[in-house]
Amino acid sequence: LANKLGASIKPFVPSEILEHLNKDSFSDLKLGDHIKKDMTIFFSDIRSFTAMSESLTPEESFAFINSYLSRVVPVIDEYGGFIDKYMGDGIMALFAEEGGADSAVSSGVAIQTKMVEYNGHRAKVNYKPISMGIGIHTGTLMLGVVGVPGRMEGTVISDAVNLSSRLQSIAKAFNIPLVISESTFMQLGDPGKYKYRFIGKVKVKGKDAPVSVFEIFDGLPEEIFERKMKSNTFFEQGMMAYYQKDYAQALFYFNRALEIVPEDGASKFYLETCLRKTMAAKTSH
């Protein structure tokens, strides 16, 4: 029976969780088993998947998700991460404490490269390109087993998980592929080996100090990468002016950045915010 039980739990509890909980086999797992760990959390999903799946039959939808996962998941494995759960087209993966930040960011970059290649194949058969958003954060979490005896599941409970999911939403809103938190950034062995930009601070529930957020743009298609690098000078000057509350100056720079990368949601967001603030200042005088 123990073997049978072990076999039935295995699909729902990643074997890595077993290792972290120092258990030898699945039959040793008990509900409520848990451990506190610092890990890097990786969240990703496909942009406008809902809209896209409306034009597919349920069979096509499943086939598409599986074809997508068969490209993405091996990359996560290759960099030492493991999948905690699938949420439709979304993936939540975990990377161990040691070197986890670098592994997670490198896997994110490699996945972007993979997407460029995948979209090449999709274009040949006239399928729309897909783009995804990835959020990565490093923090403390509780790793454990929840559920009922017949259906246990490995899970992670933490504010850190909510933050990575939030970062992935920012990636989506800003139309950028890969967003990481300050704590992941600080854990990188050599941040200088990535091309990055500071894209602002986010307020997080339960935390007083806002968290700084960075975009990593390695792994983007070459043409977009070049334009981003070019517009970044203006974007950075815009951010400096913005945080100094010189909104008119910031407007000028974000406008310049947008001329080079019109699809950049971050520049657009700050441009609109500056416009609102300059209008508000005019009306209050």
Side-chain angles (χ1 to χ4, degrees), residues 178 195-197 215-220 225 228-229 232:
L178 180 52
K195 295 285 180 276
Y196 61 85
R197 62 175 177 167
E215 175 193 3
I216 303 276
F217 37 82
D218 300 79
L220 281 170
F225 179 82
K228 272 209 165 170
M229 290 299 288
N232 204 27

Side-chain angles (χ1 to χ4, degrees), residues 7-42:
S8 68
I9 297 173
K10 200 169 168 18
F12 303 115
V13 181
S15 56
E16 289 84 354
I17 285 190
L18 206 61
E19 285 164 33
H20 286 294
L21 294 171
N22 293 323
K23 301 286 181 185
D24 295 329
S25 78
F26 288 99
S27 49
D28 295 339
L29 279 180
K30 293 188 300 298
L31 281 174
D33 280 344
H34 67 275
I35 189 167
K36 198 172 177 176
K37 287 230 148 178
D38 280 338
M39 295 185 95
T40 296
I41 307 152
F42 168 112

